[in-house]
Amino acid sequence: MKSIFSVFQRGLQKTATSISRSLGGIFTGTAAWNDETYEKLKEGLIGADFGLAASTKIVNDIKDRYSRGIIKTTDDIMEIARTDITAILNKNRKDPFYKTDSLNVILIVGVNGSGKTTSAGKLAYLWKNDGKTVLLAACDTFRAAAVEQLKLWGDRAKCNVISSTSGADPSSVAFDAVQSGLAKKYDFLILDTAGRQHTRKGLMDELSKMTRVIGKVYPEAPHHVWLTIDASMGANALVQAKEFLSTSGVTGLILTKLDGTGKGGIVVAIEEEFHLPVIFAGLGEQPEDLQPFDPEMFANALFSKKTA
Ligand SMILES: Nc1nc2c(ncn2[C@@H]2O[C@H](COP(=O)(O)OP(=O)(O)O)[C@@H](O)[C@H]2O)c(=O)[nH]1
Ligand SMILES: [Mg+2]
C-alpha cells in the first residue's frame, strides 16, 4: 500500500505547484525580502485560497522573524508557513472519537456531486482494511443509479449494503439499517444520503426526519454527521455548505477532490470560517484516496523543500 504521505503529496500536487509557481523566484535566490516580496507572497497564498486572515498571519510572522534576523534561508520561511498552517488546522480538532464497544452511526450529508457516495464507499474501504466491520446504507433513494453506485462501492470494500427500491422513504432505509447494524453488532454504519438541491427545505426536513427516526432505534445516534465539501468549488463551496451547517447538526467535514484543484488552501479558509475540524480528505478516485486529514502532513505536502 502507498504511504499516506505520498497520497497527500500526489493529491495536493496541483496546489503545491500553483503555490510555488505564483511565488515565482521569491522562495529561491538570495534577494532580500522587502515590501514587494511580502506582497507577492501574500497574493500567492490568497491565490491558493488560504483566505485573507491566514495569509496575512503567515506573512506577518515571516516579516517579524526576518526583521529580527531569525530567518536566514528559504527553508526557514517554509518552516514558518508549515507551522502556522498546522496550528490553524489543529485548532478545532479532537482525538478520534469512535466507540469501540458498540455501533458507530455516521451520516454523510452534502450538496449534489460533492462526493457523498464516493466518500461513504472509501470510508467503508478504509475501515474494513483496518479490521472493522462496516455496513453501508443507501438512503439516497431518489435515483436508482445512486443505489447502484453505493452497491458497487460495497463490492469494492466487501461490505453489505442495505437498500430499498428507488423512491422509498430514506428514513425507513435508515431505520432498517440501524436495526440491522445493532442486531449484527457492526462497528460502523455509514448512511449515504441524497443531495438534491431543488427543494432545499424538503431536503433539510428529510435529513432531520432521518435523524429523528435513527434516534428512535438508537438514542445516541447518529454519532457523527459529516458534511462533504468539494474543494475544487473554492469559495462557492463555503456558501453552499452554510445551510447544512445551520440545519443538520454537522460535526465535521470531509473535504473532497483536493486533488482536482490548485486551490487546496481552501482547507485553511474553511477552518477559519466554520470552526469545524476536517476529518477526512478526498485525494483522488481510488478506494485508498480518502485519508484521515492530517494537518501536519497537509502543510508538509504544500510547503516541502521540493516544491519551493
Ligand atoms: N478526483 C476526485 N474525484 C472525486 C473525489 N470524490 C468524489 N469524486 C468524484 O466526484 C463525482 C461525484 O461524486 P459522488 O460521490 O457521486 O457525489 P454525491 O452526489 O455527493 O454522492 C464522482 O465522479 C466521483 O468519482 C475526490 O476526492 N477526488
Ligand atoms: Mg450520491
Side-chain angles (χ1 to χ4, degrees):
M1 206 160 133
K2 288 178 268 186
S3 89
I4 296 175
F5 184 63
S6 74
V7 177
F8 268 84
Q9 243 182 346
R10 182 174 48 79
L12 290 168
Q13 215 163 13
K14 278 194 188 156
T15 301
T17 309
S18 124
I19 290 174
S20 62
R21 193 178 298 141
S22 70
L23 298 182
I26 60 173
F27 272 166
T28 56
T30 51
W33 281 70
N34 53 37
D35 283 348
E36 198 185 322
T37 43
Y38 288 131
E39 206 43 48
K40 205 169 158 198
L41 172 61
K42 192 155 112 186
E43 274 168 25
L45 295 173
I46 291 170
D49 266 6
F50 282 90
L52 183 63
S55 304
T56 308
K57 180 181 182 341
I58 295 166
V59 172
N60 285 347
D61 279 355
I62 292 172
K63 245 184 211 177
D64 172 58
R65 273 166 247 190
Y66 188 76
S67 68
R68 289 192 283 137
I70 299 170
I71 292 177
K72 299 270 187 294
T73 65
T74 301
D75 285 349
D76 296 337
I77 288 173
M78 294 301 222
E79 182 59 31
I80 292 174
R82 280 197 291 264
T83 310
D84 280 357
I85 284 169
T86 306
I88 291 170
L89 293 173
N90 267 323
K91 258 192 293 194
N92 301 298
R93 292 175 72 80
K94 297 183 206 111
D95 279 339
F97 28 97
Y98 306 124
K99 298 155 63 71
T100 51
D101 55 347
S102 56
L103 178 69
N104 292 273
V105 178
I106 321 281
L107 187 65
I108 309 285
V109 302
V111 301
N112 241 350
S114 59
K116 290 179 296 300
T117 306
T118 307
S119 298
K122 290 195 277 192
L123 271 177
Y125 183 88
L126 186 80
W127 284 331
K128 199 69 204 292
N129 277 326
D130 199 27
K132 307 286 191 287
T133 53
V134 186
L135 182 63
L136 285 162
C139 300
D140 180 355
T141 56
F142 197 57
R143 295 174 306 131
V147 178
E148 290 313 311
Q149 190 191 354
L150 194 71
K151 282 185 178 165
L152 219 71
W153 275 105
D155 291 344
R156 280 183 187 155
K158 301 188 174 56
C159 291
N160 283 332
V161 180
I162 302 276
S163 64
S164 182
T165 48
S166 81
D169 181 358
S171 294
S172 77
V173 179
F175 184 90
D176 289 349
V178 177
Q179 262 190 337
S180 172
L182 286 170
K184 294 180 183 146
K185 299 196 185 329
Y186 276 90
D187 297 316
F188 289 96
L189 165 63
I190 307 167
L191 303 153
D192 183 28
T193 65
R196 60 186 184 276
Q197 272 187 293
H198 61 270
T199 55
R200 282 230 185 152
K201 170 126 186 1
L203 174 61
M204 296 305 162
D205 288 349
E206 185 175 292
L207 284 175
S208 48
K209 179 178 170 196
M210 215 184 281
T211 309
R212 265 197 323 275
V213 168
I214 292 168
K216 276 189 192 146
V217 203
Y218 191 10
E220 62 196 64
H223 301 87
H224 301 287
V225 180
W226 289 339
L227 173 70
T228 49
I229 291 190
D230 177 344
S232 64
M233 307 275 297
N236 214 354
L238 302 187
V239 179
Q240 292 179 2
K242 272 210 171 112
E243 193 151 357
F244 281 93
L245 286 163
S246 59
T247 55
S248 337
V250 174
T251 59
L253 306 173
I254 300 179
L255 208 66
T256 63
K257 309 187 200 182
L258 265 176
D259 56 306
T261 174
K263 291 168 164 274
I266 191 76
V267 184
V268 177
I270 285 173
E271 187 86 36
E272 296 270 35
E273 173 124 0
F274 295 137
H275 309 292
L276 273 174
V278 178
I279 317 265
F280 286 96
L283 296 150
E285 291 187 276
Q286 296 307 307
E288 67 274 19
D289 287 338
L290 186 84
Q291 291 297 333
F293 184 71
D294 180 326
E296 200 176 348
M297 223 178 250
F298 175 84
N300 286 347
L302 288 191
F303 292 94
S304 71
K305 288 168 198 163
K306 265 189 289 167
T307 61

